[in-house]
Amino acid sequence: MKILNILWEYRYIILWAVIVVLYALTEWNGFKAKVTALMLDAKKLAKDGVLKDGEQQVEWIILQAYQKLPKRYQLLNQDTMKKIIKWLYSKAMDYIDDGQLNNSTTAKQ
């Protein structure tokens, strides 16, 4: 009974926390989509010879992400952004490999 009383007393805080988590999950999907689009742009530039290697591509993506993405995404520091981008890159390479996310590729993380 005591737990129900506590839950009832803090029902608005709990509801607010659930809303924040759902919003963050929604924003995460939007963030992934925008970074994936930037990765495709970087690959096009690499094909055209503008970007020479993978490290230049990652740096270009981070720079573009800071310039193009909304301010709420700029709260991430560059090291965190680099880790997220490398993780997304490895997942994209895994999916391109055989159309499934099954860790069948040895892309660098």
Side-chain angles (χ1 to χ4, degrees):
M1 270 326 245
K2 215 172 197 182
I3 293 174
L4 289 176
N5 290 338
I6 292 171
L7 290 175
W8 184 253
E9 186 175 334
Y10 292 105
R11 67 186 177 271
Y12 296 112
I13 294 172
I14 294 169
L15 179 63
W16 181 81
V18 168
I19 290 170
V20 167
V21 168
L22 291 175
Y23 179 76
L25 290 174
T26 303
E27 288 297 310
W28 170 247
N29 288 330
F31 177 75
K32 286 193 309 187
K34 290 179 183 182
V35 171
T36 302
L38 287 173
M39 285 193 301
L40 293 174
D41 290 343
K43 285 296 179 188
K44 288 177 189 174
L45 290 173
K47 186 177 180 182
D48 294 340
V50 176
L51 300 173
K52 303 293 183 219
D53 60 7
E55 191 62 35
Q56 279 187 340
Q57 291 176 27
V58 170
E59 295 299 325
W60 182 85
I61 293 168
I62 292 170
L63 178 66
Q64 294 301 312
Y66 270 90
Q67 292 176 356
K68 291 183 179 181
L69 295 178
K71 295 286 184 194
R72 63 183 168 264
Y73 298 133
Q74 293 180 1
L75 297 175
L76 299 173
N77 63 29
Q78 288 191 352
D79 291 333
T80 304
M81 181 83 82
K82 189 180 281 191
K83 288 177 186 176
I84 291 170
I85 290 169
K86 286 184 178 184
W87 179 81
L88 289 172
Y89 179 78
S90 69
K91 293 300 177 187
M93 291 293 102
D94 184 29
Y95 186 76
I96 289 170
D97 179 39
D98 59 2
Q100 297 177 354
L101 292 175
N102 57 5
N103 295 324
S104 64
T105 175
T106 56
K108 293 181 181 178
Q109 293 186 9

